[in-house]
Amino acid sequence: MQCRKQLVLTGYRVHYVDLREPKPRTPQEQIHVVDRQWLDALGLIGHNVADAIKSQYERAGYKVFGVEPIKPKRVAEIDLCQLWEQLVPSTAEEAPTTLDSEVRPE
């Protein structure tokens, strides 16, 4: 069983202003980090990364005037077995139900 996972992270510098601020608005900058799976999913549905990030910010009330990729990508190797052992076990109330159990309407 493979217990390792490789995460590939890509950062994008987002330049924006908050439209909820009174004028004059202060330009702000934030780094938006995405993983490879998110980028692959965008490619499958034919969306541009900059447009997807821009739409996320605009839904939150910001006006984006620039999205630029940050080079280089960062790669992290995660040992999932070690991570599992470090996590605190959840209580029985928080534990998920088994796959064979079904929710039946009453």
Coordinates of all heavy atoms in Angstrom, one line a residue, residues 14-80:
V14 N -2.5 37.9 -6.9 CA -3.8 38.5 -7.3 C -3.8 40.0 -6.8 O -3.6 40.2 -5.7 CB -5.0 37.8 -6.7 CG1 -6.3 38.4 -7.1 CG2 -5.0 36.3 -7.1
H15 N -4.0 40.9 -7.8 CA -4.1 42.3 -7.5 C -5.5 42.7 -7.5 O -6.2 42.5 -8.6 CB -3.3 43.1 -8.5 CG -1.8 42.7 -8.6 ND1 -0.9 43.2 -7.7 CD2 -1.2 41.9 -9.4 CE1 0.3 42.6 -8.0 NE2 0.1 41.9 -9.0
Y16 N -6.0 43.3 -6.5 CA -7.5 43.6 -6.4 C -7.7 44.8 -5.5 O -6.9 45.3 -4.8 CB -8.2 42.4 -5.9 CG -7.9 42.0 -4.4 CD1 -8.7 42.5 -3.4 CD2 -6.8 41.3 -4.1 CE1 -8.4 42.2 -2.1 CE2 -6.5 40.9 -2.8 CZ -7.3 41.4 -1.8 OH -7.0 41.1 -0.5
V17 N -9.0 45.3 -5.6 CA -9.5 46.3 -4.7 C -10.8 45.8 -4.1 O -11.5 45.1 -4.8 CB -9.7 47.7 -5.4 CG1 -8.4 48.3 -5.8 CG2 -10.6 47.6 -6.6
D18 N -11.1 46.3 -2.9 CA -12.4 45.9 -2.3 C -13.4 47.0 -2.6 O -13.3 48.1 -2.3 CB -12.2 45.8 -0.8 CG -13.3 45.3 0.0 OD1 -14.4 45.1 -0.6 OD2 -13.2 45.0 1.2
L19 N -14.4 46.6 -3.4 CA -15.5 47.5 -3.8 C -16.3 48.0 -2.7 O -17.1 49.0 -2.8 CB -16.3 46.9 -4.9 CG -15.6 46.5 -6.2 CD1 -16.5 45.9 -7.2 CD2 -15.0 47.8 -6.8
R20 N -16.2 47.3 -1.5 CA -17.1 47.7 -0.4 C -16.4 48.9 0.4 O -17.0 49.5 1.2 CB -17.3 46.5 0.5 CG -18.0 45.4 -0.2 CD -18.0 44.1 0.6 NE -16.6 43.7 0.6 CZ -16.2 42.5 1.1 NH1 -17.1 41.7 1.6 NH2 -15.0 42.1 1.0
E21 N -15.1 49.2 0.1 CA -14.4 50.3 0.8 C -14.9 51.6 0.2 O -15.2 51.7 -1.0 CB -12.9 50.2 0.5 CG -12.2 49.1 1.3 CD -10.7 49.2 1.1 OE1 -10.2 50.1 0.4 OE2 -10.0 48.2 1.5
P22 N -14.9 52.7 1.0 CA -15.2 54.0 0.4 C -14.0 54.4 -0.5 O -12.9 54.0 -0.3 CB -15.3 54.9 1.6 CG -14.6 54.2 2.7 CD -14.7 52.7 2.4
K23 N -14.3 55.3 -1.4 CA -13.3 55.8 -2.3 C -12.4 56.8 -1.6 O -12.9 57.5 -0.7 CB -13.9 56.4 -3.6 CG -14.6 55.4 -4.5 CD -15.1 56.1 -5.7 CE -15.7 55.1 -6.6 NZ -16.3 55.7 -7.8
P24 N -11.2 56.9 -1.8 CA -10.3 56.2 -2.7 C -10.0 54.8 -2.2 O -9.7 54.6 -1.0 CB -9.1 57.0 -2.9 CG -9.0 57.7 -1.6 CD -10.4 58.0 -1.1
R25 N -10.1 53.8 -3.0 CA -9.9 52.4 -2.6 C -8.4 52.1 -2.7 O -7.7 52.4 -3.6 CB -10.7 51.4 -3.5 CG -12.2 51.7 -3.3 CD -13.0 50.7 -4.1 NE -14.4 51.0 -3.9 CZ -15.2 51.3 -4.9 NH1 -14.8 51.5 -6.1 NH2 -16.5 51.5 -4.6
T26 N -7.9 51.3 -1.7 CA -6.5 50.9 -1.7 C -6.3 49.6 -2.5 O -6.9 48.6 -2.2 CB -6.1 50.7 -0.2 OG1 -6.4 51.8 0.5 CG2 -4.6 50.4 -0.1
P27 N -5.4 49.6 -3.5 CA -5.0 48.4 -4.2 C -4.4 47.4 -3.2 O -3.6 47.8 -2.4 CB -4.1 48.8 -5.3 CG -4.2 50.3 -5.4 CD -4.7 50.8 -4.1
Q28 N -4.8 46.1 -3.3 CA -4.3 45.1 -2.4 C -3.7 44.0 -3.2 O -4.0 43.8 -4.4 CB -5.3 44.6 -1.5 CG -5.9 45.7 -0.6 CD -7.0 45.2 0.3 OE1 -7.1 44.0 0.6 NE2 -7.8 46.1 0.8
E29 N -2.9 43.2 -2.6 CA -2.3 42.0 -3.3 C -2.3 40.8 -2.4 O -2.1 41.0 -1.1 CB -0.8 42.4 -3.6 CG -0.1 41.3 -4.3 CD 1.4 41.7 -4.6 OE1 1.6 42.7 -5.4 OE2 2.3 41.1 -4.0
Q30 N -2.6 39.7 -2.9 CA -2.7 38.5 -2.1 C -2.2 37.3 -3.0 O -2.4 37.3 -4.2 CB -4.2 38.2 -1.7 CG -4.4 37.1 -0.8 CD -5.8 36.9 -0.3 OE1 -6.7 37.5 -0.9 NE2 -6.0 36.2 0.8
I31 N -1.7 36.3 -2.3 CA -1.2 35.1 -3.0 C -2.3 34.0 -2.9 O -2.7 33.7 -1.8 CB 0.1 34.6 -2.5 CG1 1.2 35.7 -2.8 CG2 0.5 33.3 -3.1 CD1 2.5 35.3 -2.3
H32 N -2.7 33.5 -4.0 CA -3.8 32.5 -4.1 C -3.1 31.2 -4.5 O -2.5 31.1 -5.6 CB -4.8 32.9 -5.2 CG -6.0 32.0 -5.2 ND1 -7.1 32.2 -4.4 CD2 -6.3 30.9 -5.9 CE1 -8.0 31.3 -4.7 NE2 -7.5 30.5 -5.6
V33 N -3.1 30.2 -3.7 CA -2.4 28.9 -4.0 C -3.4 27.8 -4.4 O -4.5 27.7 -3.7 CB -1.7 28.5 -2.7 CG1 -0.9 27.1 -3.0 CG2 -0.7 29.5 -2.3
V34 N -3.1 27.1 -5.4 CA -3.9 26.0 -5.9 C -3.1 24.8 -6.1 O -1.9 24.9 -6.3 CB -4.6 26.4 -7.3 CG1 -5.6 27.6 -7.1 CG2 -3.6 26.7 -8.3
D35 N -3.7 23.6 -6.1 CA -3.0 22.4 -6.3 C -3.2 21.9 -7.7 O -4.0 22.4 -8.5 CB -3.4 21.3 -5.3 CG -4.8 20.9 -5.4 OD1 -5.6 21.5 -6.1 OD2 -5.2 19.9 -4.7
R36 N -2.4 20.9 -8.1 CA -2.4 20.4 -9.4 C -3.8 19.8 -9.8 O -4.2 19.9 -11.0 CB -1.3 19.3 -9.6 CG -1.2 18.7 -11.0 CD -0.1 17.8 -11.2 NE -0.2 16.7 -10.2 CZ 0.8 15.9 -9.9 NH1 1.9 16.1 -10.4 NH2 0.6 14.9 -9.0
Q37 N -4.5 19.1 -8.9 CA -5.8 18.6 -9.2 C -6.8 19.7 -9.6 O -7.6 19.5 -10.5 CB -6.3 17.8 -8.0 CG -5.6 16.4 -7.8 CD -4.3 16.6 -7.0 OE1 -4.0 17.6 -6.5 NE2 -3.6 15.5 -7.0
W38 N -6.7 20.8 -8.9 CA -7.6 21.9 -9.3 C -7.3 22.4 -10.7 O -8.2 22.7 -11.5 CB -7.4 23.0 -8.2 CG -8.5 24.1 -8.3 CD1 -9.7 24.1 -7.8 CD2 -8.3 25.4 -8.9 NE1 -10.4 25.3 -8.0 CE2 -9.5 26.1 -8.7 CE3 -7.2 26.1 -9.5 CZ2 -9.7 27.4 -9.1 CZ3 -7.4 27.4 -9.9 CH2 -8.6 28.0 -9.7
L39 N -6.0 22.5 -11.0 CA -5.6 23.0 -12.3 C -6.0 22.0 -13.4 O -6.5 22.4 -14.5 CB -4.1 23.2 -12.4 CG -3.6 24.3 -11.5 CD1 -2.0 24.3 -11.5 CD2 -4.1 25.7 -12.0
D40 N -5.9 20.7 -13.1 CA -6.3 19.7 -14.0 C -7.8 19.7 -14.3 O -8.3 19.5 -15.4 CB -5.9 18.3 -13.6 CG -4.4 18.1 -13.6 OD1 -3.7 18.9 -14.2 OD2 -3.9 17.1 -12.9
A41 N -8.6 19.9 -13.2 CA -10.0 20.0 -13.3 C -10.4 21.2 -14.2 O -11.3 21.1 -15.0 CB -10.7 20.0 -12.0
L42 N -9.8 22.3 -14.0 CA -10.1 23.5 -14.8 C -9.8 23.2 -16.3 O -10.5 23.6 -17.2 CB -9.3 24.7 -14.4 CG -9.8 25.4 -13.2 CD1 -8.8 26.6 -12.9 CD2 -11.2 26.0 -13.4
G43 N -8.7 22.5 -16.6 CA -8.3 22.1 -17.9 C -9.4 21.2 -18.6 O -9.7 21.4 -19.8
L44 N -9.9 20.3 -17.8 CA -10.9 19.4 -18.3 C -12.2 20.1 -18.8 O -12.8 19.7 -19.7 CB -11.2 18.3 -17.3 CG -10.1 17.2 -17.1 CD1 -10.5 16.3 -15.9 CD2 -9.9 16.4 -18.4
I45 N -12.6 21.1 -18.0 CA -13.8 21.8 -18.3 C -13.6 23.0 -19.2 O -14.5 23.7 -19.6 CB -14.6 22.2 -17.1 CG1 -13.8 23.1 -16.2 CG2 -15.1 20.9 -16.3 CD1 -14.6 23.6 -15.0
G46 N -12.3 23.2 -19.6 CA -12.0 24.3 -20.6 C -12.0 25.7 -20.0 O -12.2 26.6 -20.7
H47 N -11.6 25.8 -18.7 CA -11.6 27.1 -18.1 C -10.2 27.6 -18.0 O -9.2 26.8 -17.8 CB -12.3 27.1 -16.7 CG -13.8 27.1 -16.8 ND1 -14.5 28.2 -16.8 CD2 -14.6 26.1 -16.9 CE1 -15.8 27.9 -16.9 NE2 -15.9 26.6 -17.0
N48 N -10.0 28.9 -18.0 CA -8.7 29.6 -17.8 C -8.5 29.7 -16.3 O -9.4 30.1 -15.5 CB -8.7 30.9 -18.5 CG -7.4 31.6 -18.4 OD1 -6.5 31.2 -17.7 ND2 -7.3 32.7 -19.1
V49 N -7.3 29.5 -15.8 CA -7.0 29.7 -14.4 C -7.2 31.1 -13.9 O -7.8 31.3 -12.8 CB -5.5 29.2 -14.1 CG1 -5.1 29.5 -12.6 CG2 -5.3 27.8 -14.5
A50 N -6.7 32.1 -14.6 CA -6.9 33.5 -14.2 C -8.3 33.8 -14.1 O -8.8 34.5 -13.2 CB -6.1 34.4 -15.2
D51 N -9.1 33.4 -15.1 CA -10.6 33.7 -15.0 C -11.3 33.0 -13.9 O -12.2 33.6 -13.3 CB -11.2 33.3 -16.4 CG -10.8 34.1 -17.5 OD1 -10.3 35.3 -17.3 OD2 -10.9 33.7 -18.7
A52 N -10.9 31.8 -13.5 CA -11.5 31.1 -12.4 C -11.2 31.8 -11.1 O -12.0 32.0 -10.2 CB -11.0 29.7 -12.3
I53 N -9.9 32.2 -10.9 CA -9.5 33.0 -9.7 C -10.2 34.3 -9.6 O -10.7 34.7 -8.6 CB -8.0 33.1 -9.6 CG1 -7.3 31.8 -9.5 CG2 -7.6 34.1 -8.5 CD1 -5.8 31.8 -9.6
K54 N -10.3 35.0 -10.8 CA -11.0 36.3 -10.8 C -12.4 36.2 -10.4 O -13.0 37.0 -9.7 CB -10.8 36.8 -12.3 CG -11.3 38.2 -12.4 CD -11.1 38.7 -13.9 CE -11.6 40.1 -14.1 NZ -11.4 40.6 -15.4
S55 N -13.1 35.1 -10.9 CA -14.5 35.0 -10.6 C -14.7 34.7 -9.1 O -15.7 35.1 -8.5 CB -15.2 33.9 -11.5 OG -14.7 32.6 -11.1
Q56 N -13.8 33.9 -8.5 CA -13.9 33.7 -7.0 C -13.8 35.0 -6.3 O -14.6 35.2 -5.3 CB -12.8 32.8 -6.6 CG -13.0 31.3 -7.0 CD -11.9 30.4 -6.5 OE1 -10.9 30.9 -5.9 NE2 -12.0 29.1 -6.6
Y57 N -12.9 35.9 -6.6 CA -12.8 37.1 -5.9 C -13.9 38.0 -6.2 O -14.4 38.8 -5.3 CB -11.4 37.8 -6.4 CG -10.2 37.3 -5.6 CD1 -9.6 36.1 -5.9 CD2 -9.7 38.1 -4.5 CE1 -8.5 35.7 -5.2 CE2 -8.6 37.6 -3.8 CZ -8.0 36.4 -4.2 OH -7.0 36.0 -3.5
E58 N -14.4 38.1 -7.4 CA -15.6 38.9 -7.8 C -16.8 38.5 -7.1 O -17.6 39.4 -6.7 CB -15.7 39.0 -9.3 CG -14.6 39.8 -9.9 CD -14.7 39.8 -11.5 OE1 -15.5 39.0 -12.0 OE2 -14.0 40.6 -12.1
R59 N -17.0 37.2 -6.8 CA -18.2 36.8 -6.1 C -18.1 37.3 -4.6 O -19.2 37.4 -4.0 CB -18.3 35.2 -6.1 CG -18.9 34.7 -7.4 CD -19.3 33.3 -7.3 NE -18.2 32.4 -6.8 CZ -17.4 31.7 -7.6 NH1 -17.6 31.8 -8.9 NH2 -16.4 30.9 -7.2
A60 N -16.9 37.5 -4.1 CA -16.8 38.0 -2.8 C -16.8 39.5 -2.6 O -16.6 40.0 -1.5 CB -15.4 37.4 -2.2
G61 N -17.0 40.2 -3.7 CA -17.1 41.6 -3.7 C -15.8 42.4 -4.0 O -15.7 43.6 -3.6
Y62 N -14.9 41.8 -4.7 CA -13.6 42.5 -5.1 C -13.5 42.7 -6.6 O -14.1 41.9 -7.3 CB -12.4 41.6 -4.6 CG -12.4 41.3 -3.1 CD1 -12.7 40.0 -2.7 CD2 -12.1 42.3 -2.2 CE1 -12.7 39.8 -1.3 CE2 -12.0 42.0 -0.9 CZ -12.4 40.7 -0.4 OH -12.4 40.5 0.9
K63 N -12.8 43.7 -7.0 CA -12.5 43.9 -8.4 C -11.1 43.5 -8.6 O -10.2 44.1 -8.1 CB -12.8 45.4 -8.7 CG -12.4 45.8 -10.1 CD -13.2 45.1 -11.1 CE -12.8 45.6 -12.5 NZ -13.3 44.8 -13.6
V64 N -10.9 42.5 -9.4 CA -9.5 42.0 -9.7 C -9.0 42.7 -11.0 O -9.7 42.8 -12.0 CB -9.5 40.5 -9.9 CG1 -8.2 40.0 -10.4 CG2 -10.0 39.8 -8.7
F65 N -7.8 43.2 -10.9 CA -7.2 43.9 -12.1 C -5.9 43.2 -12.5 O -5.2 43.7 -13.3 CB -7.0 45.4 -11.9 CG -6.2 45.8 -10.7 CD1 -4.9 45.9 -10.7 CD2 -6.9 46.1 -9.5 CE1 -4.2 46.3 -9.6 CE2 -6.2 46.4 -8.4 CZ -4.8 46.6 -8.4
G66 N -5.6 42.0 -11.9 CA -4.4 41.3 -12.4 C -4.2 40.0 -11.6 O -4.4 39.9 -10.4
V67 N -3.9 38.9 -12.4 CA -3.6 37.6 -11.8 C -2.3 37.2 -12.6 O -2.4 37.0 -13.8 CB -4.7 36.6 -12.1 CG1 -4.3 35.2 -11.5 CG2 -6.0 37.1 -11.4
E68 N -1.3 36.9 -11.8 CA 0.0 36.5 -12.5 C 0.5 35.3 -11.8 O 0.5 35.2 -10.5 CB 1.0 37.6 -12.5 CG 1.3 38.2 -11.2 CD 2.2 39.5 -11.3 OE1 1.8 40.4 -12.0 OE2 3.2 39.5 -10.5
P69 N 1.0 34.3 -12.5 CA 1.6 33.1 -11.9 C 2.9 33.4 -11.2 O 3.7 34.3 -11.6 CB 1.8 32.1 -13.0 CG 1.8 33.0 -14.2 CD 1.0 34.2 -14.0
I70 N 3.2 32.7 -10.1 CA 4.5 32.8 -9.4 C 5.3 31.6 -9.7 O 4.8 30.5 -9.6 CB 4.2 32.9 -7.9 CG1 3.4 34.1 -7.5 CG2 5.6 32.9 -7.1 CD1 3.0 34.2 -6.1
K71 N 6.5 31.8 -10.2 CA 7.4 30.7 -10.5 C 8.4 30.6 -9.4 O 8.8 31.5 -8.8 CB 8.1 31.0 -11.8 CG 7.2 31.2 -13.0 CD 6.6 29.9 -13.4 CE 5.7 30.2 -14.7 NZ 4.9 29.0 -15.1
P72 N 8.8 29.4 -9.0 CA 8.5 28.1 -9.6 C 7.4 27.5 -8.8 O 7.0 28.0 -7.7 CB 9.8 27.3 -9.3 CG 10.4 27.9 -8.1 CD 10.0 29.4 -8.1
K73 N 6.9 26.3 -9.3 CA 5.9 25.5 -8.5 C 6.6 24.9 -7.3 O 7.8 24.7 -7.3 CB 5.4 24.4 -9.4 CG 4.6 24.9 -10.6 CD 4.1 23.7 -11.4 CE 3.4 24.3 -12.6 NZ 2.9 23.2 -13.5
R74 N 5.9 24.6 -6.3 CA 6.4 24.0 -5.1 C 5.8 22.6 -4.9 O 4.7 22.4 -5.1 CB 6.1 24.8 -3.9 CG 6.7 26.2 -4.0 CD 6.6 27.0 -2.8 NE 7.2 28.4 -3.1 CZ 7.4 29.3 -2.2 NH1 7.1 29.0 -1.0 NH2 7.9 30.4 -2.5
V75 N 6.7 21.7 -4.6 CA 6.3 20.3 -4.5 C 6.6 19.8 -3.1 O 7.6 20.1 -2.5 CB 7.1 19.4 -5.5 CG1 6.7 17.9 -5.3 CG2 6.9 19.9 -6.9
A76 N 5.6 19.1 -2.5 CA 5.7 18.6 -1.1 C 5.4 17.1 -1.2 O 4.4 16.7 -1.8 CB 4.7 19.3 -0.2
E77 N 6.2 16.3 -0.5 CA 6.0 14.9 -0.4 C 5.4 14.6 1.0 O 6.1 14.9 2.0 CB 7.3 14.1 -0.6 CG 7.2 12.7 -0.7 CD 6.8 12.2 -2.1 OE1 6.9 12.9 -3.1 OE2 6.3 11.1 -2.2
I78 N 4.2 14.1 1.0 CA 3.5 13.8 2.3 C 3.5 12.3 2.6 O 3.1 11.6 1.7 CB 2.1 14.4 2.2 CG1 2.1 15.9 1.8 CG2 1.4 14.2 3.5 CD1 2.7 16.8 2.7
D79 N 3.8 11.9 3.8 CA 3.7 10.6 4.2 C 2.3 10.4 4.9 O 2.2 10.9 6.0 CB 4.8 10.2 5.2 CG 4.8 8.7 5.5 OD1 3.8 8.0 5.3 OD2 5.8 8.3 6.1
L80 N 1.4 9.8 4.2 CA 0.0 9.8 4.7 C -0.1 8.9 5.9 O -0.9 9.1 6.8 CB -0.9 9.3 3.6 CG -1.1 10.3 2.4 CD1 -2.0 9.7 1.4 CD2 -1.6 11.6 2.9

